[in-house]
Coordinates of all heavy atoms in Angstrom, one line a residue:
S148 N 1.3 11.6 -14.8 CA 2.3 11.2 -15.9 C 2.7 9.8 -15.7 O 3.6 9.4 -16.4 CB 3.5 12.1 -15.7 OG 4.3 11.9 -14.6
L149 N 2.1 9.0 -14.8 CA 2.5 7.6 -14.6 C 3.9 7.5 -14.1 O 4.6 6.5 -14.5 CB 2.2 6.8 -15.8 CG 0.7 6.6 -16.2 CD1 0.6 6.0 -17.6 CD2 0.0 5.8 -15.2
G150 N 4.4 8.5 -13.4 CA 5.8 8.5 -12.9 C 6.8 8.9 -13.9 O 8.0 8.9 -13.6
M151 N 6.4 9.3 -15.1 CA 7.4 9.8 -16.0 C 8.0 11.2 -15.5 O 9.2 11.5 -15.7 CB 6.8 10.0 -17.4 CG 6.6 8.7 -18.1 SD 6.1 8.9 -19.8 CE 4.4 9.4 -19.6
L152 N 7.2 12.0 -14.9 CA 7.6 13.1 -14.1 C 7.8 12.7 -12.7 O 6.8 12.2 -12.1 CB 6.7 14.3 -14.2 CG 6.5 14.9 -15.6 CD1 5.4 16.0 -15.5 CD2 7.8 15.6 -16.0
R153 N 9.0 12.8 -12.1 CA 9.2 12.2 -10.7 C 9.6 13.3 -9.7 O 9.5 13.1 -8.5 CB 10.2 11.1 -10.8 CG 9.8 9.9 -11.6 CD 10.8 8.7 -11.3 NE 12.1 8.9 -12.0 CZ 13.2 8.9 -11.3 NH1 13.3 8.8 -10.0 NH2 14.4 9.1 -12.0
F154 N 10.1 14.5 -10.2 CA 10.5 15.5 -9.3 C 11.4 15.0 -8.3 O 11.4 15.4 -7.1 CB 9.3 16.3 -8.7 CG 8.4 16.9 -9.7 CD1 7.2 16.3 -10.1 CD2 8.8 18.1 -10.3 CE1 6.4 16.9 -11.1 CE2 8.0 18.7 -11.3 CZ 6.8 18.1 -11.6
G155 N 12.3 14.1 -8.6 CA 13.3 13.6 -7.7 C 12.9 12.4 -6.9 O 13.7 11.8 -6.2
L156 N 11.6 12.0 -6.9 CA 11.1 10.8 -6.1 C 11.7 9.6 -6.7 O 11.7 9.4 -8.0 CB 9.6 10.8 -6.1 CG 8.9 11.8 -5.3 CD1 7.4 11.6 -5.3 CD2 9.4 11.9 -3.8
P157 N 12.2 8.6 -6.0 CA 12.7 7.4 -6.5 C 11.6 6.6 -7.2 O 10.5 6.5 -6.7 CB 13.2 6.6 -5.3 CG 13.4 7.7 -4.2 CD 12.4 8.7 -4.5
S158 N 12.0 6.0 -8.3 CA 11.0 5.2 -9.1 C 10.4 4.0 -8.3 O 9.2 3.7 -8.4 CB 11.6 4.7 -10.4 OG 12.7 4.0 -10.2
D159 N 11.2 3.4 -7.4 CA 10.7 2.3 -6.7 C 9.7 2.7 -5.6 O 8.7 2.0 -5.3 CB 11.8 1.5 -6.0 CG 12.7 2.3 -5.1 OD1 12.7 3.5 -5.1 OD2 13.5 1.7 -4.3
Y160 N 9.8 3.9 -5.1 CA 8.8 4.5 -4.2 C 7.5 4.7 -4.9 O 6.4 4.4 -4.4 CB 9.3 5.8 -3.5 CG 8.3 6.4 -2.6 CD1 7.9 5.9 -1.4 CD2 7.5 7.5 -3.1 CE1 6.9 6.4 -0.6 CE2 6.5 8.0 -2.3 CZ 6.2 7.5 -1.1 OH 5.2 8.0 -0.3
I161 N 7.6 5.3 -6.1 CA 6.4 5.6 -6.9 C 5.7 4.3 -7.2 O 4.5 4.1 -7.1 CB 6.8 6.4 -8.2 CG1 7.3 7.8 -7.8 CG2 5.6 6.4 -9.1 CD1 7.9 8.5 -9.0
R162 N 6.5 3.3 -7.5 CA 6.0 2.0 -7.9 C 5.2 1.4 -6.7 O 4.2 0.8 -6.8 CB 7.1 1.0 -8.4 CG 6.6 -0.3 -9.0 CD 7.8 -1.1 -9.4 NE 8.7 -0.4 -10.3 CZ 9.9 -0.1 -10.0 NH1 10.4 -0.4 -8.8 NH2 10.6 0.6 -10.8
S163 N 5.8 1.5 -5.5 CA 5.2 0.9 -4.3 C 3.8 1.6 -4.0 O 2.9 0.9 -3.6 CB 6.1 1.0 -3.1 OG 6.3 2.4 -2.7
V164 N 3.8 2.9 -4.2 CA 2.5 3.6 -4.0 C 1.5 3.1 -5.0 O 0.3 2.9 -4.7 CB 2.7 5.1 -4.0 CG1 1.4 5.8 -4.0 CG2 3.6 5.6 -2.8
R165 N 1.9 3.0 -6.3 CA 1.0 2.6 -7.3 C 0.5 1.1 -7.1 O -0.6 0.8 -7.5 CB 1.7 2.7 -8.7 CG 1.9 4.2 -9.1 CD 2.5 4.4 -10.5 NE 1.6 3.8 -11.4 CZ 0.4 4.3 -11.9 NH1 0.0 5.5 -11.4 NH2 -0.3 3.7 -12.7
Q166 N 1.4 0.3 -6.5 CA 0.9 -1.0 -6.2 C -0.1 -1.1 -5.1 O -1.0 -1.9 -5.1 CB 2.1 -1.9 -5.9 CG 3.0 -2.3 -7.0 CD 4.3 -2.9 -6.6 OE1 4.7 -2.9 -5.4 NE2 5.1 -3.4 -7.6
A167 N 0.1 -0.2 -4.1 CA -0.9 -0.1 -3.0 C -2.2 0.4 -3.5 O -3.3 0.1 -3.0 CB -0.3 0.8 -1.9
F168 N -2.2 1.3 -4.5 CA -3.4 1.9 -5.0 C -3.5 1.8 -6.6 O -3.1 2.7 -7.3 CB -3.5 3.4 -4.7 CG -3.6 3.6 -3.2 CD1 -2.5 4.0 -2.5 CD2 -4.8 3.5 -2.5 CE1 -2.6 4.2 -1.1 CE2 -4.9 3.7 -1.2 CZ -3.8 4.0 -0.4
P169 N -3.9 0.6 -7.0 CA -3.9 0.3 -8.5 C -4.7 1.3 -9.3 O -5.6 2.0 -8.8 CB -4.5 -1.1 -8.6 CG -4.4 -1.7 -7.2 CD -4.4 -0.5 -6.3
N170 N -4.3 1.4 -10.6 CA -4.9 2.5 -11.4 C -6.4 2.3 -11.6 O -7.1 3.3 -11.7 CB -4.2 2.4 -12.8 CG -4.4 3.6 -13.6 OD1 -5.4 3.7 -14.3 ND2 -3.5 4.6 -13.6
R171 N -6.8 1.1 -11.8 CA -8.2 0.7 -12.0 C -8.9 1.5 -13.2 O -10.1 1.8 -13.1 CB -9.0 0.9 -10.7 CG -8.6 0.1 -9.6 CD -8.9 -1.4 -9.8 NE -10.3 -1.7 -9.8 CZ -11.0 -2.0 -8.7 NH1 -10.4 -2.0 -7.5 NH2 -12.3 -2.2 -8.8
G172 N -8.1 1.9 -14.2 CA -8.7 2.5 -15.3 C -8.7 4.1 -15.2 O -9.3 4.7 -16.1
F173 N -8.1 4.6 -14.2 CA -8.2 6.1 -14.0 C -7.6 6.8 -15.2 O -8.2 7.7 -15.8 CB -7.5 6.5 -12.8 CG -7.5 8.0 -12.5 CD1 -8.7 8.6 -12.1 CD2 -6.4 8.8 -12.7 CE1 -8.7 10.0 -11.9 CE2 -6.4 10.1 -12.5 CZ -7.6 10.7 -12.1
H174 N -6.4 6.4 -15.7 CA -5.7 7.1 -16.8 C -6.4 6.9 -18.1 O -6.5 7.8 -18.9 CB -4.2 6.7 -16.8 CG -3.4 7.3 -15.8 ND1 -3.4 6.9 -14.5 CD2 -2.6 8.4 -15.8 CE1 -2.6 7.6 -13.7 NE2 -2.1 8.5 -14.5
W175 N -7.0 5.7 -18.3 CA -7.8 5.5 -19.5 C -9.0 6.4 -19.5 O -9.4 7.0 -20.6 CB -8.2 4.1 -19.6 CG -9.1 3.8 -20.8 CD1 -10.4 3.5 -20.9 CD2 -8.7 3.9 -22.2 NE1 -10.8 3.3 -22.2 CE2 -9.8 3.6 -23.0 CE3 -7.4 4.3 -22.8 CZ2 -9.7 3.7 -24.4 CZ3 -7.4 4.3 -24.2 CH2 -8.5 4.0 -25.0
R176 N -9.6 6.7 -18.4 CA -10.7 7.6 -18.3 C -10.3 9.0 -18.7 O -11.0 9.7 -19.4 CB -11.3 7.6 -16.8 CG -12.3 8.7 -16.6 CD -13.6 8.5 -17.5 NE -14.3 7.4 -17.1 CZ -15.3 6.8 -17.9 NH1 -15.5 7.3 -19.1 NH2 -15.9 5.8 -17.4

Side-chain angles (χ1 to χ4, degrees):
S148 72
L149 294 168
M151 288 187 287
L152 293 174
R153 295 191 289 122
F154 297 102
L156 292 182
S158 57
D159 59 344
Y160 175 76
I161 294 172
R162 190 179 309 114
S163 68
V164 173
R165 292 185 56 79
Q166 288 171 349
F168 296 100
N170 195 278
R171 298 292 293 270
F173 180 76
H174 285 77
W175 178 245
R176 173 62 69 195

